[in-house]
Amino acid sequence: MRNRSLTLALLASLAAMPAFAQDESASPTAKRFSVTGGYALSEPKSDTGRIAGSESDFGGDGAPTLGATWHINDNFAVEAWGADAFGHRVELGGAKAASVKAQPYALSAQYHFGDAARTVRPFVGLGYYEMNFKDEQASAGGPLAGNRIGIDTAKGPMATLGVDFNITPTWFARTDVRYLHTGATDVRVNGVDAAEAELDPVVVGVGIGARF
């Protein structure tokens, strides 16, 4: 289901390209601000730590994303990026134990390779992110049923690898992969620290952007 969602998002991005493929006089080198909207899948690592004595596993989910970038020059840029909340299914020992929503936002420096007018432009980025957890709910009949669950905000470095495909001097398509290193995040049960989780999600996204 998650792979199907990503495929549909990618097809939608590709289908939008002809609509934007028109001559424009302004060069991308004269445009220093861009906005990108898209869709991404967040997939935490398979072994996220032990909770209540059992191995935990946080399932992946998809969500819309939005990024705003200030291009200092043709190669260096600063990006503010965020996503709607990803909904994660939490399993303990293979049984569904809870559900939680995680919403990341980040600020990073980027380096875009090559000239701004090139059709294909790879880029890399490194920055800092925070991810807020909310709506933690124990599953009825699960290992944590009847307990209150809380997860502290995760924070740490974020690395980005992506490619922009210039459609016109204004419009471009993007695909990127982000790695969010969380380290140990405290998990509370009934208000008491009970465990530490390490999600370290990989976030794969596609989108359409515009330069101004």
PDB file of all heavy atoms in Angstrom, residues 113 115 118-122 163-166:
ATOM      1  N   PHE A 113      24.554  20.868  -7.451  1.00  0.00           N
ATOM      2  CA  PHE A 113      25.646  20.692  -8.385  1.00  0.00           C
ATOM      3  C   PHE A 113      25.312  21.293  -9.757  1.00  0.00           C
ATOM      4  O   PHE A 113      24.166  21.263 -10.196  1.00  0.00           O
ATOM      5  CB  PHE A 113      25.976  19.208  -8.543  1.00  0.00           C
ATOM      6  CG  PHE A 113      26.490  18.570  -7.286  1.00  0.00           C
ATOM      7  CD1 PHE A 113      25.616  17.967  -6.388  1.00  0.00           C
ATOM      8  CD2 PHE A 113      27.848  18.583  -6.994  1.00  0.00           C
ATOM      9  CE1 PHE A 113      26.085  17.376  -5.225  1.00  0.00           C
ATOM     10  CE2 PHE A 113      28.332  17.997  -5.832  1.00  0.00           C
ATOM     11  CZ  PHE A 113      27.442  17.393  -4.951  1.00  0.00           C
ATOM     12  N   ASP A 115      25.299  24.061 -13.140  1.00  0.00           N
ATOM     13  CA  ASP A 115      24.687  25.349 -13.447  1.00  0.00           C
ATOM     14  C   ASP A 115      23.187  25.314 -13.198  1.00  0.00           C
ATOM     15  O   ASP A 115      22.541  24.277 -13.376  1.00  0.00           O
ATOM     16  CB  ASP A 115      24.968  25.700 -14.911  1.00  0.00           C
ATOM     17  CG  ASP A 115      24.472  27.088 -15.269  1.00  0.00           C
ATOM     18  OD1 ASP A 115      25.198  28.066 -15.017  1.00  0.00           O
ATOM     19  OD2 ASP A 115      23.339  27.180 -15.788  1.00  0.00           O
ATOM     20  N   ARG A 118      20.812  23.845 -15.918  1.00  0.00           N
ATOM     21  CA  ARG A 118      20.881  22.435 -16.320  1.00  0.00           C
ATOM     22  C   ARG A 118      19.558  21.739 -16.102  1.00  0.00           C
ATOM     23  O   ARG A 118      18.828  22.031 -15.146  1.00  0.00           O
ATOM     24  CB  ARG A 118      21.971  21.705 -15.537  1.00  0.00           C
ATOM     25  CG  ARG A 118      23.382  22.044 -15.980  1.00  0.00           C
ATOM     26  CD  ARG A 118      24.405  21.300 -15.150  1.00  0.00           C
ATOM     27  NE  ARG A 118      24.170  19.860 -15.118  1.00  0.00           N
ATOM     28  CZ  ARG A 118      24.927  18.992 -14.446  1.00  0.00           C
ATOM     29  NH1 ARG A 118      25.947  19.447 -13.729  1.00  0.00           N
ATOM     30  NH2 ARG A 118      24.659  17.714 -14.472  1.00  0.00           N
ATOM     31  N   THR A 119      19.227  20.781 -16.962  1.00  0.00           N
ATOM     32  CA  THR A 119      17.963  20.068 -16.852  1.00  0.00           C
ATOM     33  C   THR A 119      17.923  19.182 -15.611  1.00  0.00           C
ATOM     34  O   THR A 119      16.918  19.120 -14.903  1.00  0.00           O
ATOM     35  CB  THR A 119      17.713  19.195 -18.100  1.00  0.00           C
ATOM     36  OG1 THR A 119      17.717  20.034 -19.260  1.00  0.00           O
ATOM     37  CG2 THR A 119      16.382  18.472 -18.002  1.00  0.00           C
ATOM     38  N   VAL A 120      19.021  18.502 -15.322  1.00  0.00           N
ATOM     39  CA  VAL A 120      19.089  17.598 -14.171  1.00  0.00           C
ATOM     40  C   VAL A 120      20.130  18.142 -13.185  1.00  0.00           C
ATOM     41  O   VAL A 120      21.300  18.330 -13.548  1.00  0.00           O
ATOM     42  CB  VAL A 120      19.473  16.168 -14.603  1.00  0.00           C
ATOM     43  CG1 VAL A 120      19.539  15.246 -13.389  1.00  0.00           C
ATOM     44  CG2 VAL A 120      18.467  15.634 -15.619  1.00  0.00           C
ATOM     45  N   ARG A 121      19.681  18.400 -11.947  1.00  0.00           N
ATOM     46  CA  ARG A 121      20.587  18.983 -10.948  1.00  0.00           C
ATOM     47  C   ARG A 121      20.528  18.186  -9.637  1.00  0.00           C
ATOM     48  O   ARG A 121      19.589  18.343  -8.833  1.00  0.00           O
ATOM     49  CB  ARG A 121      20.230  20.435 -10.672  1.00  0.00           C
ATOM     50  CG  ARG A 121      20.404  21.364 -11.855  1.00  0.00           C
ATOM     51  CD  ARG A 121      20.474  22.797 -11.367  1.00  0.00           C
ATOM     52  NE  ARG A 121      21.737  23.089 -10.696  1.00  0.00           N
ATOM     53  CZ  ARG A 121      21.910  24.085  -9.835  1.00  0.00           C
ATOM     54  NH1 ARG A 121      20.887  24.864  -9.508  1.00  0.00           N
ATOM     55  NH2 ARG A 121      23.094  24.316  -9.288  1.00  0.00           N
ATOM     56  N   PRO A 122      21.506  17.353  -9.376  1.00  0.00           N
ATOM     57  CA  PRO A 122      21.579  16.671  -8.078  1.00  0.00           C
ATOM     58  C   PRO A 122      21.916  17.679  -6.983  1.00  0.00           C
ATOM     59  O   PRO A 122      22.522  18.724  -7.242  1.00  0.00           O
ATOM     60  CB  PRO A 122      22.711  15.655  -8.275  1.00  0.00           C
ATOM     61  CG  PRO A 122      23.001  15.638  -9.735  1.00  0.00           C
ATOM     62  CD  PRO A 122      22.597  16.965 -10.271  1.00  0.00           C
ATOM     63  N   VAL A 163      17.416  15.120  -6.371  1.00  0.00           N
ATOM     64  CA  VAL A 163      17.626  15.545  -7.757  1.00  0.00           C
ATOM     65  C   VAL A 163      16.459  16.435  -8.174  1.00  0.00           C
ATOM     66  O   VAL A 163      15.288  16.075  -7.955  1.00  0.00           O
ATOM     67  CB  VAL A 163      17.717  14.346  -8.734  1.00  0.00           C
ATOM     68  CG1 VAL A 163      17.959  14.845 -10.164  1.00  0.00           C
ATOM     69  CG2 VAL A 163      18.815  13.384  -8.324  1.00  0.00           C
ATOM     70  N   ASP A 164      16.780  17.601  -8.758  1.00  0.00           N
ATOM     71  CA  ASP A 164      15.775  18.462  -9.370  1.00  0.00           C
ATOM     72  C   ASP A 164      15.802  18.264 -10.875  1.00  0.00           C
ATOM     73  O   ASP A 164      16.884  18.184 -11.479  1.00  0.00           O
ATOM     74  CB  ASP A 164      16.045  19.934  -9.042  1.00  0.00           C
ATOM     75  CG  ASP A 164      15.689  20.288  -7.613  1.00  0.00           C
ATOM     76  OD1 ASP A 164      14.914  19.534  -6.978  1.00  0.00           O
ATOM     77  OD2 ASP A 164      16.190  21.323  -7.121  1.00  0.00           O
ATOM     78  N   PHE A 165      14.611  18.217 -11.484  1.00  0.00           N
ATOM     79  CA  PHE A 165      14.482  18.111 -12.934  1.00  0.00           C
ATOM     80  C   PHE A 165      13.819  19.397 -13.433  1.00  0.00           C
ATOM     81  O   PHE A 165      12.619  19.601 -13.239  1.00  0.00           O
ATOM     82  CB  PHE A 165      13.635  16.885 -13.307  1.00  0.00           C
ATOM     83  CG  PHE A 165      14.183  15.584 -12.788  1.00  0.00           C
ATOM     84  CD1 PHE A 165      13.790  15.092 -11.549  1.00  0.00           C
ATOM     85  CD2 PHE A 165      15.108  14.858 -13.524  1.00  0.00           C
ATOM     86  CE1 PHE A 165      14.290  13.889 -11.055  1.00  0.00           C
ATOM     87  CE2 PHE A 165      15.618  13.654 -13.040  1.00  0.00           C
ATOM     88  CZ  PHE A 165      15.212  13.171 -11.804  1.00  0.00           C
ATOM     89  N   ASN A 166      14.607  20.269 -14.061  1.00  0.00           N
ATOM     90  CA  ASN A 166      14.080  21.542 -14.531  1.00  0.00           C
ATOM     91  C   ASN A 166      13.153  21.337 -15.728  1.00  0.00           C
ATOM     92  O   ASN A 166      13.556  20.768 -16.745  1.00  0.00           O
ATOM     93  CB  ASN A 166      15.225  22.483 -14.913  1.00  0.00           C
ATOM     94  CG  ASN A 166      15.951  23.022 -13.701  1.00  0.00           C
ATOM     95  OD1 ASN A 166      15.341  23.288 -12.673  1.00  0.00           O
ATOM     96  ND2 ASN A 166      17.267  23.169 -13.808  1.00  0.00           N
TER      97      ASN A 166
END
